[in-house]
Amino acid sequence: RVPLDRPWWRRAAAWGRARIQNLTWGPAARGLAQALWLGDLEDLPESVRHGFQNLGLSHVLAVSGFHLGLLWGLLVLVQRVVPPALRAGWPLLSLGAVWAFVAVVGFSASSVRAAAMLSVVTVSRLWPGSPRGIDVFAVAQVLLLAWDPRMAYQLGFQLSSAAVLGLIMANPAEGRAKPKYPRLKALVEG
């Protein structure tokens, strides 16, 4: 049993750990499942952890944007079968589910960053027009740094910010300005 004197997200994490521990898999597999689903490395054998480090894959064990992307993808699929009357509020319900997952995994820095970016993207799509990725990125960065200015000095924040910025700038629509006279440009370039 999980004591009720703890916050709901800690009880949910304890419930998840108990379900994983009840699996008939070996201890290494259970520890890996717990690391991948809950970001909890406590039961992951040292040999498995070193194996991931030696392969340069230890970042896979951190709950991050990848995990939230999987959850978001599942929620998008579920949205297709949701009655039309509920679809208008579905993006906000989905964000609630994402932040609940972030709480359950212990508000790890990488999951908070990913959820903040996903939240800003989702909320920005509720307004008319399509915001530019660079603008959404800037708003997310400002909100994160307003919440915890020390993030600016964290290598994880710097690397994930650089990666997202690189992806945005690699998008041809974002990386360069739109031509003032697109038809003329198309004629000149043939």
Side-chain angles (χ1 to χ4, degrees), residues 31 55 111 123:
L55 292 171
S111 64
V123 170

Side-chain angles (χ1 to χ4, degrees), residues 158-171:
Q158 295 167 4
L159 290 174
S160 64
S161 296
V164 171
L165 183 60
L167 290 171
I168 290 170
M169 297 311 287
N171 179 0

Side-chain angles (χ1 to χ4, degrees), residues 62-95:
V63 174
S64 62
F66 173 73
H67 295 82
L68 294 181
L70 290 176
L71 175 59
W72 192 259
L74 176 66
L75 293 168
V76 167
L77 289 174
V78 170
Q79 180 183 9
R80 293 180 182 183
V81 297
V82 168
L86 296 177
R87 286 191 188 150
W90 190 255
L92 296 178
L93 288 172
S94 297
L95 279 182

Side-chain angles (χ1 to χ4, degrees), residues 8-184:
W8 67 266
W9 60 85
R10 293 193 195 263
R11 292 193 310 266
W15 180 86
R17 273 187 213 91
R19 299 294 82 69
I20 290 171
Q21 292 304 317
N22 287 337
L23 295 172
T24 58
W25 305 345
R30 287 194 308 264
L32 183 59
Q34 192 167 305
L36 291 173
W37 282 99
L38 300 172
D40 183 358
L41 304 176
E42 186 177 314
D43 292 336
L44 188 65
E46 199 68 31
S47 61
V48 175
R49 194 177 309 175
H50 286 303
F52 273 87
Q53 288 173 346
N54 291 339
L55 292 171
L57 296 173
S58 56
H59 62 280
V60 172
L61 299 175
V63 174
S64 62
F66 173 73
H67 295 82
L68 294 181
L70 290 176
L71 175 59
W72 192 259
L74 176 66
L75 293 168
V76 167
L77 289 174
V78 170
Q79 180 183 9
R80 293 180 182 183
V81 297
V82 168
L86 296 177
R87 286 191 188 150
W90 190 255
L92 296 178
L93 288 172
S94 297
L95 279 182
V98 164
W99 280 102
F101 179 72
V102 169
V104 168
V105 299
F107 294 100
S108 68
S110 57
S111 64
V112 168
R113 286 191 302 267
M117 187 68 177
L118 192 56
S119 297
V120 173
V121 168
T122 302
V123 170
S124 71
R125 289 186 176 179
L126 297 177
W127 274 270
S130 59
R132 296 180 322 151
I134 193 75
D135 296 333
V136 171
F137 172 76
V139 169
Q141 297 298 302
V142 167
L143 291 175
L144 283 168
L145 291 172
W147 180 56
D148 184 5
R150 294 172 298 175
M151 277 191 196
Y153 301 105
Q154 296 172 359
L155 184 60
F157 176 80
Q158 295 167 4
L159 290 174
S160 64
S161 296
V164 171
L165 183 60
L167 290 171
I168 290 170
M169 297 311 287
N171 179 0
E174 289 286 338
R176 53 181 140 57
K178 294 179 182 171
K180 191 169 184 176
Y181 304 103
R183 290 186 183 156
L184 179 61

